[in-house]
Amino acid sequence: MQGALRQITGGNAFTVHEMQSASGIVVREYVSTAGTVFGVAWQGATFPNLRQLLGPHFVRFQQEADRLVRARKRRGPLNVDLGDVIVQSSGHPRSFTGRAYLPGLIPQGVGIDAIR
Amino acid sequence: MNRIIIGLLLFAQQVAPQSCGSSSSSGTVQNVVPLALNVGPTGNSFNVAFATVTICPPGQSTNCQSLGGVLVDTGSSGLRILSSVLTVSLPRQTTSAGARVVECFPFQDGYTWGSVATADITIGSKHATNMPVQIVGGSDLPAAPDSCTSSGTTSEDTLDTLGANGVLGIGLFRQDCGAACTFSGSSNPGIYYACSTGGCQVTPQPLAQQPQNPVWTFASDNNGVAIQLPSVPAAGETQATGMLFFGIGTQSNNGLGSAAVFTLDADGNLVTKFGQTSVKGFIDSGSNGYYFLDTATTQIPTCASSKDFYCPSTTLSLSATNVGVNGKSSTVNFGIANADALSSTFSVLPQIGGPFASTFDWGLPFFYGRIVFTAIEGQSTPGGVGPYFAY
């Protein structure tokens, strides 16, 4: 994504690349030692470009998010579980937060709550 | 029923017991409107509070539209009306170069794409004059640009997708976007667009031209709101009625009383602690349940019918603690029932919830049996300067 790389942190199992767009959206990419991005997390006043971040998974996310909204059961944070990809979005105008991850690619010993 | 009457008498001692929002003799306070909790214009809403707004072209008091089924949202600011239900012609905002101003406004599960227009709005007896609003959808709109659709969420421009005739955003902030949208260049979050035959480009939008929190624009009772909803039986109810008060501590009927003030971070969040877990929390009448954590942390299974809801085998009594930036702390007790066992014809369900890992969304059930105050940024109240929640 367009943005300044702010920092890289991490441990044995993965690295976190944190970027901030000019409009203040912070995106963190979680990268395994093999170089695979297994998760992203974001926060900001609007959404990051998920078309870019989710790549080939974007269309399926878009379709399932649409189906959930049209079913109109839950009004609240969006939880899109596609099995191989999970996308979650929460917040309210001025403060959105979310993450997307591929459960099958999370490194051994790393919990889902590491992606945030 | 007794509880509702007692609540009204305690809260509005100098008001003769009568239906909310009715016109009356002088001496009766005119800052209250009723809230309807029912299935709404889609026929399948639950835990949504609807209000009625009157929409007039600026400067007119005839040719107006009285529109019900408008969702009351403490999580956003600004009035948004579906183009498909609007019967009044409102002047559309244009840039100095003559381009139409169209807004891509994000919510947590979708966005509204539509023209910024100007209207005179009346809610009960309160007037907002020459106020920017958003008209959502419409056949004359250009397609939403990639920078809008790249969120991947759904365009909520029909009754089907929005779930209401409109959204009445009466939350913490004065305008829907705020200062960030007034700047040119890449720091602009990209919510307002100037649209012409050449396409839509992000445009800076001065504060006064952004959709406003209507309450802030009232001549009086303009520092915030209080929402009072009745207590509800655990299994729920077919429907209910509540009240929306304008102003905090401005009349005899809208004082804070024993409510505690929770100040918020710059984004409008407090901290919510559930067991060992601490997350951002927010109080949001536009959400329809308690949305928090996940099965792994809570040990509450989700439903066979939907992963969006919790389905414990029996109703659970839970608690979580809200902490304001000011250090004010209070524990909230709430129940989570098996969502699949709840009545599908009730529109008021106090014990419905579902998972969400990184935030605690106190949706409308939090408001049942409470008076919840939302103070607007920069406005003075007896409890301090907004923004804050109090309950």
Side-chain angles (χ1 to χ4, degrees):
Chain A
M1 61 167 263
Q2 287 282 345
L5 181 62
R6 291 215 301 199
Q7 60 175 335
I8 299 177
T9 56
N12 296 326
F14 64 92
T15 309
V16 185
H17 299 187
E18 182 174 293
M19 290 154 285
Q20 181 166 26
S21 76
S23 63
I25 303 171
V26 174
V27 174
R28 284 181 278 276
E29 280 186 343
Y30 294 78
V31 188
S32 72
T33 51
T36 317
V37 179
F38 60 89
V40 292
W42 61 87
Q43 60 195 57
T46 54
F47 286 67
N49 187 330
L50 289 185
R51 189 179 276 121
Q52 245 177 36
L53 290 178
L54 298 183
H57 310 288
F58 177 78
V59 172
R60 286 166 60 218
F61 159 65
Q62 202 180 25
Q63 289 170 345
E64 178 62 6
D66 193 77
R67 189 192 71 78
L68 285 171
V69 164
R70 286 175 195 277
R72 259 304 161 215
K73 293 284 188 184
R74 171 159 145 160
R75 296 195 77 100
L78 190 64
N79 221 351
V80 175
D81 185 344
L82 298 168
D84 57 336
V85 175
I86 314 283
V87 186
Q88 299 172 326
S89 159
S90 170
H92 50 84
R94 308 246 185 146
S95 175
F96 293 106
T97 183
R99 66 181 178 182
Y101 58 93
L102 302 153
L105 294 184
I106 298 176
Q108 281 267 352
V110 176
I112 293 166
D113 56 332
I115 305 168
R116 55 192 158 84
Chain B
M1 274 309 286
N2 283 340
R3 279 169 138 188
I4 298 170
I5 292 170
I6 287 167
L8 282 176
L9 287 172
L10 284 173
F11 194 73
Q13 288 171 17
Q14 292 170 342
V15 179
Q18 59 191 292
S19 61
C20 301
S22 61
S23 62
S24 55
S25 58
S26 65
T28 302
V29 177
Q30 299 282 337
N31 64 336
V32 193
V33 294
L35 294 174
L37 279 63
N38 56 37
V39 295
T42 62
N44 64 0
S45 297
F46 62 88
N47 293 337
V48 177
F50 295 103
T52 297
V53 302
T54 301
I55 306 159
C56 303
Q60 294 186 33
S61 51
T62 54
N63 300 319
C64 298
Q65 177 183 10
S66 175
L67 181 66
V70 179
L71 184 154
V72 173
D73 187 14
T74 60
S76 70
S77 290
L79 178 62
R80 289 158 226 289
I81 306 290
L82 282 179
S83 170
S84 57
V85 305
L86 184 66
T87 59
V88 176
S89 180
L90 300 176
R92 308 302 170 95
Q93 222 180 64
T94 54
T95 65
S96 50
R100 267 172 76 177
V101 178
V102 188
E103 181 179 19
C104 173
F105 190 69
F107 291 94
Q108 59 185 339
D109 63 356
Y111 63 90
T112 52
W113 172 245
S115 300
V116 182
T118 309
D120 285 359
I121 300 294
T122 303
I123 313 174
S125 306
K126 306 302 285 186
H127 302 287
T129 308
N130 264 321
M131 187 179 71
V133 301
Q134 184 183 29
I135 302 174
V136 182
S139 53
D140 59 342
L141 267 187
D146 279 357
S147 48
C148 176
T149 60
S150 64
S151 66
T153 57
T154 298
S155 179
E156 295 175 340
D157 57 356
T158 62
L159 183 57
D160 206 34
T161 48
L162 187 64
N165 287 330
V167 178
L168 178 62
I170 48 164
L172 300 163
F173 301 108
R174 295 178 171 187
Q175 303 89 13
D176 64 356
C177 176
C181 284
T182 63
F183 300 115
S184 309
S186 55
S187 71
N188 188 303
I191 288 178
Y192 297 95
Y193 292 81
C195 295
S196 58
T197 48
C200 294
Q201 317 298 330
V202 175
T203 190
Q205 184 77 343
L207 289 177
Q209 288 168 34
Q210 299 182 14
Q212 306 286 307
N213 183 331
V215 177
W216 176 60
T217 73
F218 294 159
S220 61
D221 305 313
N222 55 19
N223 56 0
V225 300
I227 291 178
Q228 180 179 27
L229 299 184
S231 297
V232 177
E237 285 184 322
T238 309
Q239 58 182 31
T241 308
M243 297 198 286
L244 171 62
F245 295 82
F246 299 116
I248 300 177
T250 58
Q251 305 257 14
S252 57
N253 68 354
N254 61 12
L256 284 166
S258 59
V261 171
F262 296 80
T263 58
L264 309 167
D265 67 20
D267 298 333
N269 299 315
L270 36 73
V271 170
T272 304
K273 302 182 182 181
F274 184 95
Q276 301 304 309
T277 313
S278 207
V279 291
K280 267 196 272 214
F282 53 95
I283 296 175
D284 182 9
S285 67
S287 294
N288 68 353
Y290 299 103
Y291 296 114
F292 63 106
L293 300 173
D294 51 31
T295 297
T297 317
T298 61
Q299 306 301 304
I300 311 173
T302 52
C303 302
S305 64
S306 166
K307 292 185 204 185
D308 269 356
F309 297 101
Y310 283 128
C311 274
S313 48
T314 57
T315 298
L316 301 174
S317 297
L318 303 173
S319 64
T321 301
N322 284 326
V323 185
V325 167
N326 57 350
K328 182 66 196 171
S329 168
S330 97
T331 298
V332 179
N333 298 313
F334 61 103
I336 296 293
N338 184 309
D340 279 348
L342 295 170
S343 163
S344 59
T345 59
F346 285 177
S347 72
V348 184
L349 297 170
Q351 295 185 331
I352 193 162
F356 198 83
S358 58
T359 56
F360 203 113
D361 183 341
W362 296 98
L364 201 72
F366 173 77
F367 292 67
Y368 297 151
R370 285 198 170 85
I371 303 168
V372 181
F373 299 82
T374 304
I376 297 170
E377 63 170 332
Q379 299 293 83
S380 290
T381 78
V385 178
Y388 65 73
F389 292 120
Y391 61 88

